[in-house]
Amino acid sequence: MINMKTLTTKMAFFLLVLLISTAAMAESITSPNGLLKLNFSVNAQGEPVYELSYKDKEVIKPSKLGLELKNDPGLMNGFTLTDAKTSTFDETWEPVWGEVKSIRNHYNELAVTLDQKAQDRNIVIRFRLYDDGLGFRYEFPLQKNLNYFVIKEEHSQFAMTGDHTAFWIPGDYDTQEYDYTESKLSEIRGLMNGAITDNASQASFSPTGVQTSLQMKTADGLYINLHEAALVDYSCMNLNLDDKNLVFESWLTPDAVGDKGYMQTPCKSPWRTVIVSDDARDILASKLTLNLNDPCAYEDVSWIKPVKYVGVWWEMITGKSSWAYTDDVLSVKLGETDYSKTKPNGRHGANNENVKRYIDFAAEHGFDQVLVEGWNEGWEDWFGHSKDYVFDFVTAYPDFDVKMLNEYAKSKGVKLMMHHETSASVRNYERHMDKAYQFMVDNGYNAVKSGYVGNIISGRTPLWSVDE
């Protein structure tokens, strides 16, 4: 006969052990003002899981974290929580430039160490909870069984609580030049084809893929923004939506062979950010991204001078003018093509008189510099031909007098801004950079706008992004 008292005692003991075990695998922190709360746990499969609430409203439902590695079991599951450290940080710092003189960096932090016993290795996931949102990143300590590794995909999830209104552009490896679409999350798939408008260089990856930053509004008036910070030596993050379950997941930009990150420990990922407020103005005013970016590495920042500028370029975009000097040349060979023997097309925007007109306008209206695109030889066949030796960045067209225009600008209290269009031929730019920048110094330029329009020519050039 079963002793009910003994059975009850054993069951109670089992539940107590289970409760203690579960508690040991779960941690939480709140924001400094107490309005945001982060919960972290490791589930039965050993998968890291987090969730986020704001004013007791769920913002991010339980969402899994992890990374899929190439030729490796991966960092997705099989984890146990072996350590959790909490801390508080509060400082005020001054940006080099920006909308405000000083920024407060105030957060509560949770750093969890996760052991993957089967692979004899560990990772750290660090959470920072601010009054305006959350940042989290992966950290990879140096260790024998996690030294060099290749990321196949990062699987950071952001599980939404409902079919929010989103303001989005298509996920694309090559361009952000799309109009924003406003729709419900469930409508993204049906609207994607219409949202992908023609562009000279584009590569969409999913019928529900979107780019960050992604702005959303919930039915009850909560504003949510998903993005990233401190993007250095890592692939930039898009988001792919599981529109049946309304779960976003990170989707990294690959290189030419499909790999998404080449890592050497110790190293870390960028921060993944969730900015939250019930006031849309707070999203725009948030300094969370700046706080999570790495501090300025320069001790002397006196040489950094923010400027306002106008430019000879929009008139080319609209078709009023052209970057090219002539219509007679079908194939440019730098150093061989003699522009003095060609007929000007009469539409070249970067000519002396037009640039002087922009300089006069800048001086009259308080602009510091004038950007001039299309000033240098090579624009007749610069795009769409996978051309390597496309520009030399030092040879001006016949109707652009570098010395005269810089002197004229100086007399007006204005400076010219250099333009370097690489046409996505990175190796060509690298071979000319020393002379190009010396040319700037010799002629009074102190700023340059660089462009990278087109499909990257070198087949093994990775599509990395760096925040500055």
Side-chain angles (χ1 to χ4, degrees), residues 152-173:
K152 187 174 181 180
E153 188 57 86
E154 178 188 322
H155 294 279
S156 299
Q157 292 185 346
F158 307 85
M160 299 294 100
T161 61
D163 193 10
H164 305 331
T165 298
F167 304 85
W168 56 276
I169 57 175
D172 194 297
Y173 298 147

Side-chain angles (χ1 to χ4, degrees), residues 204-215:
S204 59
F205 61 84
S206 167
T208 57
V210 298
Q211 298 191 45
T212 67
S213 67
L214 176 68
Q215 181 64 44

Side-chain angles (χ1 to χ4, degrees), residues 7-62:
L7 181 61
T8 302
T9 302
K10 289 182 177 179
M11 182 62 70
F13 179 76
F14 172 76
L15 291 174
L16 179 62
V17 170
L18 181 63
L19 181 63
I20 294 173
S21 176
T22 302
M25 297 287 280
E27 299 288 338
S28 65
I29 53 172
T30 59
S31 58
N33 64 8
L35 299 182
L36 280 161
K37 183 177 181 180
L38 167 82
N39 292 323
F40 174 83
S41 61
V42 177
N43 67 17
Q45 290 73 44
E47 298 168 315
V49 178
Y50 78 101
E51 54 187 315
L52 182 68
S53 63
Y54 175 72
K55 294 183 178 179
D56 296 323
K57 292 181 181 179
E58 203 170 31
V59 177
I60 304 292
K61 295 165 59 178

Side-chain angles (χ1 to χ4, degrees), residues 71-268:
N71 301 321
D72 183 279
L75 299 167
M76 296 288 295
N77 50 38
F79 288 108
T80 56
L81 176 60
T82 57
D83 189 33
K85 290 183 171 65
T86 59
S87 61
T88 297
F89 187 82
D90 192 358
E91 69 168 3
T92 299
W93 59 281
E94 293 189 1
V96 177
W97 64 276
E99 303 95 337
V100 295
K101 179 177 176 59
S102 61
I103 295 174
R104 188 181 185 188
N105 185 22
H106 188 200
Y107 59 83
N108 291 331
E109 181 175 281
L110 169 66
V112 295
T113 300
L114 305 175
D115 278 6
Q116 194 178 45
K117 186 176 181 180
Q119 309 304 325
D120 190 22
R121 58 193 181 187
N122 65 79
I123 64 171
V124 175
I125 303 180
R126 189 175 303 273
F127 299 91
R128 288 183 180 172
L129 199 53
Y130 293 80
D131 288 344
D132 52 350
L134 167 70
F136 66 86
R137 73 181 181 192
Y138 303 91
E139 299 178 3
F140 311 100
L142 176 63
Q143 55 204 291
K144 180 181 178 181
N145 291 334
L146 192 66
N147 190 355
Y148 295 90
F149 61 96
V150 177
I151 297 174
K152 187 174 181 180
E153 188 57 86
E154 178 188 322
H155 294 279
S156 299
Q157 292 185 346
F158 307 85
M160 299 294 100
T161 61
D163 193 10
H164 305 331
T165 298
F167 304 85
W168 56 276
I169 57 175
D172 194 297
Y173 298 147
D174 290 334
T175 186
Q176 294 177 322
E177 294 181 350
Y178 293 114
D179 292 331
Y180 273 83
T181 299
E182 177 182 350
S183 76
K184 296 293 186 181
L185 297 178
S186 60
E187 297 172 335
I188 291 176
R189 182 184 297 272
L191 295 172
M192 183 62 71
N193 286 340
I196 300 176
T197 52
D198 288 341
N199 194 288
S201 182
Q202 56 194 146
S204 59
F205 61 84
S206 167
T208 57
V210 298
Q211 298 191 45
T212 67
S213 67
L214 176 68
Q215 181 64 44
M216 291 173 285
K217 181 181 180 181
T218 69
D220 55 356
L222 200 62
Y223 296 89
I224 304 169
N225 185 280
L226 304 181
H227 197 26
E228 60 185 338
L231 176 54
V232 180
D233 293 334
Y234 200 90
S235 176
C236 65
M237 180 181 74
N238 298 279
L239 296 169
N240 196 40
L241 176 66
D242 172 355
D243 50 1
K244 291 183 178 179
N245 298 301
L246 300 179
V247 177
F248 283 106
E249 189 169 282
S250 55
W251 184 292
L252 303 183
T253 302
D255 67 2
V257 297
D259 295 330
K260 299 194 173 186
Y262 300 93
M263 312 297 287
Q264 178 184 355
T265 59
C267 57
K268 56 186 179 292

